[in-house]
């Protein structure tokens, strides 16, 4: 199971009970690794996780799975990934900036999902 799948599995078990207020956008993630590309969507309006793409996400983040994990673990800042070209964004930038609010709403602790350090993560 990929690291991304572990995160989205944890998010899926929590998302239905979350209150995102008036946030109804969908956030699509295209995450690449040596095994190919996996796509996941956090749909705030429907309060669900979608495995695979949706027709019209509010925004799409494209990055490596490793950078996604680093982002969740707060080992790297989104602006750093974006400015270095490691994170591409397609869609509404204003919506993309709301993603931190979504993560806080889902209440998944990345350290519980991935372990407490990059070393542990690379050993999984």
């Amino acid at each position: 199971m990929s690291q991304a799948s572990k995160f989205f599995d944890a998010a899926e078990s929590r998302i239905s009970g979350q209150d995102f207020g008036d946030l109804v956008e969908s956030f699509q993630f295209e995450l690449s690794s040596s095994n190919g590309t996996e796509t996941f969507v956090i749909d705030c309006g429907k309060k669900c996780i979608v495995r695979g793409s949706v027709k019209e996400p509010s925004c799409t983040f494209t990055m490596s799975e490793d950078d996604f994990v680093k982002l969740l673990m707060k080992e790297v800042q989104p602006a750093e990934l974006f400015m270095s070209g490691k994170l591409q964004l397609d869609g509404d930038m204003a919506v993309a900036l709301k993603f931190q609010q979504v993560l806080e709403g889902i209440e998944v602790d990345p350290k519980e999902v991935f372990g407490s350090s990059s070393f542990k993560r690379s050993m999984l």
Side-chain angles (χ1 to χ4, degrees):
M1 176 183 290
S2 71
Q3 296 298 314
S5 289
K6 289 178 185 179
F7 170 78
F8 287 104
D9 283 349
E12 188 169 39
S13 70
R14 293 173 172 89
I15 195 169
S16 65
Q18 300 307 311
D19 179 13
F20 295 111
D22 61 353
L23 192 61
V24 296
E25 286 81 9
S26 58
F27 299 86
Q28 183 163 290
F29 298 86
E30 296 177 354
L31 307 173
S32 60
S33 72
S34 60
N35 295 324
T37 300
E38 289 184 286
T39 303
F40 301 91
V41 178
I42 298 175
D43 188 325
C44 297
K46 295 179 181 175
K47 294 186 179 184
C48 70
I49 302 294
V50 177
R51 284 162 176 33
S53 61
V54 295
K55 188 173 181 178
E56 293 184 32
S58 304
C59 61
T60 301
F61 300 98
T62 304
M63 68 187 94
S64 73
E65 180 183 38
D66 188 51
D67 285 333
F68 177 71
V69 172
K70 288 177 184 176
L71 185 64
L72 293 174
M73 295 288 290
K74 299 183 180 178
E75 294 174 1
V76 65
Q77 295 297 315
E80 181 183 339
L81 291 175
F82 185 76
M83 297 303 285
S84 67
K86 292 181 177 183
L87 166 64
Q88 289 83 44
L89 172 66
D90 183 27
D92 189 334
M93 178 68 85
V95 171
L97 293 173
K98 296 178 183 179
F99 180 63
Q100 185 64 36
Q101 175 186 348
V102 173
L103 280 182
E104 292 168 1
I106 295 174
E107 299 176 352
V108 172
D109 183 353
K111 290 179 181 176
E112 290 179 14
V113 175
F114 305 124
S116 61
S117 70
S118 295
F119 175 75
K120 283 185 182 178
R121 187 177 65 248
S122 68
M123 298 300 288
L124 295 175

